[in-house]
Amino acid sequence: MANVATNPKVLKFYRRCLKAIPETIKYYQLPFSTSDVKHKINSEFRRYEGVQDDSVIEMLLAKGRQELEETEEMWKTKSHVLRYFTSKNQKYIPKNNEYMTEADKALHDILRDDPRNLDNHARFK
């Protein structure tokens, strides 16, 4: 049994992920720096560094390769990629309302005030 951190297949895949960062940022117009994305990729790999079972390592590599291929081939939308940078309970809201239309901005303002009170909001009366 090999450790994930010393497995040559894992290291090769890790390097492949790092090489894909600049193009991914460019194509998806991500509001993150290269170092931000590298940090996120590093943390995802470290999350599984204690895995020693070869079959689990192969399964994780297969899933990672599929995710990378879907990202590189642009089969994902920008929102799919942005999900990697948010927690499960947090939604991504662009800084300074970038990439938002006027309708998106209005809805964002309404929901920021009180999402439960959407029907009673002044803009909908």
Side-chain angles (χ1 to χ4, degrees):
M1 289 190 180
N3 189 336
V4 170
T6 59
N7 188 317
K9 290 180 182 178
V10 173
L11 295 175
K12 182 177 179 182
F13 179 63
Y14 178 74
R15 285 191 290 273
R16 184 173 163 213
C17 290
L18 295 182
K19 286 180 182 178
I21 292 173
E23 286 187 13
T24 301
I25 291 173
K26 177 183 168 187
Y27 291 140
Y28 287 97
Q29 299 177 349
L30 298 177
F32 304 110
S33 68
T34 303
S35 62
D36 291 338
V37 178
K38 184 177 179 180
H39 182 302
K40 181 61 178 173
I41 289 172
N42 191 315
S43 69
E44 286 297 311
F45 274 83
R46 291 202 180 276
R47 199 167 122 194
Y48 298 103
E49 73 181 338
V51 175
Q52 295 186 357
D53 186 354
D54 289 338
S55 61
V56 174
I57 292 171
E58 288 300 321
M59 184 271 306
L60 290 169
L61 279 171
K63 184 176 178 183
R65 287 181 188 123
Q66 180 181 0
E67 291 290 326
L68 182 60
E69 180 185 12
E70 290 173 2
T71 303
E72 288 178 329
E73 296 296 327
M74 296 195 69
W75 295 336
K76 294 183 177 201
T77 64
K78 183 176 182 176
S79 64
H80 292 132
V81 177
L82 289 173
R83 282 187 203 146
Y84 286 112
F85 299 94
T86 58
S87 67
K88 292 185 181 191
N89 297 329
Q90 173 189 10
K91 293 197 176 182
Y92 174 75
I93 297 175
K95 296 176 184 174
N96 301 323
N97 294 333
E98 60 188 319
Y99 311 115
M100 295 177 80
T101 65
E102 289 302 315
D104 292 335
K105 290 176 187 176
L107 187 58
H108 174 260
D109 292 342
I110 292 167
L111 294 176
R112 185 184 60 216
D113 294 338
D114 187 2
R116 295 165 292 162
N117 204 11
L118 187 60
D119 295 330
N120 297 327
H121 198 278
R123 290 191 184 191
F124 292 105
K125 288 187 176 183

